[in-house]
Structures are given as structure tokens and as C-alpha cells.
């Protein structure tokens, strides 16, 4: 799903100091968490609470008054750290605020490493995972998802390089950089085995804790190919000022899902809140703000994995 990443005045100026693929991250004594910010949308822009949706919330959640959303803020424009070095911004952060507002709650956005989010949802340390998760049948075994976006995987390379993959099969004999715990990491590893089984050179997969590290490996020449979700790859290419280029076509288009603990009682309220934001135009406005409206969906569902 190729996208044209449109620059939006409100955020392009704020990001001029961000280096290619690098995002400032705060720190925390929690090894899986990097920084936290509590976001309360302004009265002028926040969607109004919907009484019917509020009534669907578990009593304990209503009493707490805040939903804790976890995001790996190294994945712009979906989620990343702002120029203050701590505030999580992006499409998912904006959506978290709006969803919480419809449910009559505040949103607390926690910056956490991607592969720690689902285990910490299971351990009830977070209420929601909103971090560009592809909704897969394997992940649905341990968490529930409310679908909210659609994206595929794109390859990107250094401009002028000799390696220009169009499909996974073209990765044989190359070095690929990916983020830990992603579908791209799985795909690259599986392709390496496929290459070897066919008597071809394998795929050297460099796995990094976050997307920033994967991007830096490509920039420095340690890797020949980067892989990321299509809107993220397109954003990296745009921000690289000609250093990177998208290679080939997007593959594996699938839904993103808002991750929720199984049995946590939030599924119905979250689905209803998202539908409300779609109906009143808030959802579309958020995607347009970040230049990724091509990934919009119109019929969110609970656990909509395609593979």
C-alpha cells in the first residue's frame, strides 16, 4: 500500500531537528518502559464523552479515570517522541487521546519497547497497546484487537545502492535491518530459511530493540535493506533528504489492531469509541494530519486478523 507522506505544517516544522531515523527517548527504571506522558486533550478539540460508551466500561476503569496506552515511540509518523524529548506524539498518540475522551477518561501514553508491550498487557501493567501492531492470529491467542488502520511492509535502501529488492525472494544474500518483535523480523528470518533450502545464500538479519537502530544500521552501511510498515518506511524516505529510497512494492497488507488484555472488559467500549470517532470525523482528521489517510478503514472489527 504505497503512500505519499504529506508534510503537515503543524508537525513538519517541529521535526526539523530530528535526524534521519533517530528519535530522542527518555529513560525509566522500568526496563521495558522508556518514558511517560499524560495527555489530556483540550476542551476545544477533545471529542465529548459518550454516555452509552462510558456505561460499557468496567467499573474499575471508570473509577480510575485514566487509560494507560503503551507505544514504542520510535515509529514515526505513527508514534514517536517530540522535540521536548519525552512527549509521545503521532497518529497513535492522537488516537489514544480521542478514544479516551469519548470514554470519559484521560489518556496516559507510556513509551515502551515494542516487544515488551503485549507481555505487559497480559500482566495488566498497561490497559491498551496502541503501537502499530499488525493484528495476527498468533497475537490474537494472547490479546484481543480492535482493527483501526491498514498497512503493509515496504523495503527501503540507500539511494544509489546495488541492492533493490522487489519481493522477499530478492533478500537472498543480503543484510537486512529490522525491529525486534515485528512481522518484518519474522518475515526476514523465514525468508532466510527459504533461501537456504533453495541452495541460495541466506539472509543476514540484524535485529534492533527499536526502529531507530534499524534505520541507523542502513544509514551507516551495516545493512543493505531496511524493512518497516509502509507508512513508516515512506516517512523515513521522506525525512532522509534523498539518502533512502523505497524499493519494490508493498506486500502483506493487513490490519493494525488496538491491543487489549483478554478478559479485561474493554473490547466492546473500545470498538464503540472507535466507531464514534469514525462517524464524527475525528478519526479521518487525525490520519489526514499525519498524511496517512490512505490507510483508513471504515469497518473496524474485533479480532480481524487475516493471517
Amino acid at each position: 500500500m504505497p503512500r505519499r507522506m504529506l508534510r503537515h505544517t503543524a508537525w513538519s516544522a517541529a521535526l526539523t531537528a530530528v535526524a534521519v531515523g533517530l528519535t530522542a527517548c527518555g529513560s525509566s527504571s522500568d526496563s521495558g518502559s522508556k518514558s511517560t506522558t499524560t495527555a489530556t486533550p483540550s476542551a476545544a478539540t477533545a471529542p465529548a464523552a459518550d454516555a452509552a460508551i462510558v456505561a460499557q466500561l468496567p467499573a474499575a476503569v471508570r473509577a480510575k479515570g485514566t487509560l494507560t496506552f503503551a507505544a514504542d515511540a520510535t515509529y514515526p509518523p505513527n508514534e514517536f517522541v517530540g522535540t521536548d524529548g519525552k512527549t509521545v506524539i503521532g497518529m497513535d498518540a492522537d488516537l489514544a487521546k480521542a478514544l479516551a475522551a469519548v470514554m470519559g477518561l484521560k489518556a496516559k501514553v507510556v513509551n515502551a519497547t515494542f516487544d515488551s508491550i503485549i507481555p505487559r498487557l497480559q500482566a495488566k501493567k498497561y490497559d491498551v497497546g496502541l503501537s502499530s501492531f499488525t493484528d495476527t492470529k498468533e497475537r490474537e491467542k494472547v490479546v484481543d484487537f480492535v482493527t483501526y488502520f491498514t498497512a503493509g511492509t515496504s523495503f527501503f535502501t540507500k539511494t544509489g545502492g546495488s541492492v533493490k529488492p522487489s519481493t522477499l525472494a530478492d533478500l537472498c544474500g543480503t543484510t537486512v535491518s529490522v525491529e525486534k518483535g515485528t512481522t518484518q523480523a519474522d518475515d526476514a528470518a523465514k525468508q532466510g530459511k527459504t533461501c537456504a533450502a533453495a541452495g541460495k545464500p541466506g539472509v543476514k538479519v540484524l535485529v534492533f530493540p527499536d526502529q531507530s537502530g534499524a534505520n541507523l544500521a542502513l544509514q551507516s552501511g551495516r545493512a543493505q535493506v531496511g524493512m518497516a510498515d509502509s507508512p513508516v518506511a515512506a516517512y523515513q524516505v521522506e525525512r532522509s533528504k534523498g539518502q533512502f529510497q523505497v524499493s519494490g512494492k508493498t506486500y502483506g497488507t493487513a490490519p493494525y489492531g488496538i491491543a487489549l488484555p483478554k478478559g479485561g472488559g474493554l473490547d466492546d467500549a473500545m470498538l464503540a469509541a472507535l466507531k464514534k470517532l469514525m462517524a464524527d470525523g475525528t478519526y479521518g482528521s487525525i490520519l489526514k494530519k499525519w498524511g496517512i489517510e490512505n490507510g483508513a478503514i471504515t469497518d473496524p472489527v474485533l479480532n480481524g486478523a487475516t493471517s
Side-chain angles (χ1 to χ4, degrees):
M1 181 185 305
R3 290 176 177 80
R4 178 170 176 262
M5 303 306 298
L6 303 176
R7 296 193 181 205
H8 187 274
T9 303
W11 58 273
S12 61
L15 294 178
T16 55
V18 179
V20 175
L22 299 179
T23 306
C25 295
S27 61
S28 169
S29 58
D30 184 339
S31 61
S33 178
K34 295 180 283 189
S35 68
T36 303
T37 179
T38 300
T40 306
S42 67
T45 59
D50 185 298
I53 296 173
V54 172
Q56 296 182 58
L57 292 171
V61 173
R62 289 200 302 270
K64 185 170 63 170
T66 299
L67 282 179
T68 301
F69 291 79
D72 175 13
T74 68
Y75 221 52
N78 297 358
E79 50 268 334
F80 57 114
V81 176
T83 54
D84 64 359
K86 62 181 181 179
T87 302
V88 180
I89 62 176
M91 179 262 286
D92 281 339
D94 284 353
L95 190 58
K97 300 174 204 175
L99 288 165
V102 168
M103 291 185 273
L105 303 169
K106 295 180 181 179
K108 179 181 180 182
V109 183
V110 177
N111 183 9
T113 53
F114 184 78
D115 63 334
S116 75
I117 295 175
I118 286 180
R120 289 171 185 272
L121 283 173
Q122 293 176 273
K124 303 188 185 306
K125 294 192 175 182
Y126 305 137
D127 297 309
V128 186
L130 190 49
S131 190
S132 306
F133 280 105
T134 300
D135 181 359
T136 67
K137 293 187 183 298
E138 186 66 24
R139 287 172 175 160
E140 285 179 4
K141 293 177 182 178
V142 294
V143 293
D144 287 333
F145 286 104
V146 172
T147 59
Y148 71 102
F149 192 77
T150 186
T153 291
S154 292
F155 305 108
F156 57 109
T157 63
K158 290 193 76 171
T159 301
S162 60
V163 176
K164 298 177 182 179
S166 294
T167 67
L168 283 168
D170 296 330
L171 297 181
C172 298
T174 67
T175 300
V176 179
S177 59
V178 293
E179 181 179 4
K180 184 179 180 181
T182 60
T183 54
Q184 288 82 22
D186 291 341
D187 288 350
K190 290 176 183 176
Q191 184 57 42
K193 295 177 181 178
T194 299
C195 295
K200 298 179 180 180
V203 180
K204 183 177 181 181
V205 184
L206 305 181
V207 181
F208 296 87
D210 55 38
Q211 188 62 38
S212 296
N215 296 339
L216 186 59
L218 179 63
Q219 184 182 22
S220 67
R222 290 179 60 197
Q224 297 164 289
V225 181
M227 295 173 65
D229 288 357
S230 46
V232 175
Y235 179 88
Q236 298 303 334
V237 169
E238 181 191 29
R239 295 297 297 168
S240 75
K241 298 181 179 179
Q243 292 187 61
F244 293 164
Q245 63 184 9
V246 172
S247 179
K249 296 182 179 180
T250 298
Y251 76 89
T253 299
Y256 278 177
I258 302 167
L260 302 167
K262 285 189 176 293
L266 280 173
D267 292 9
D268 291 342
M270 188 64 70
L271 180 59
L274 180 59
K275 288 182 176 180
K276 174 80 173 180
L277 295 179
M278 289 179 172
D280 69 14
T282 302
Y283 168 83
S285 295
I286 290 172
L287 268 57
K288 185 176 181 180
K289 170 184 175 181
W290 296 102
I292 52 178
E293 57 266 50
N294 284 351
I297 65 171
T298 57
D299 187 22
V301 298
L302 181 64
N303 292 331
T306 56
S307 62

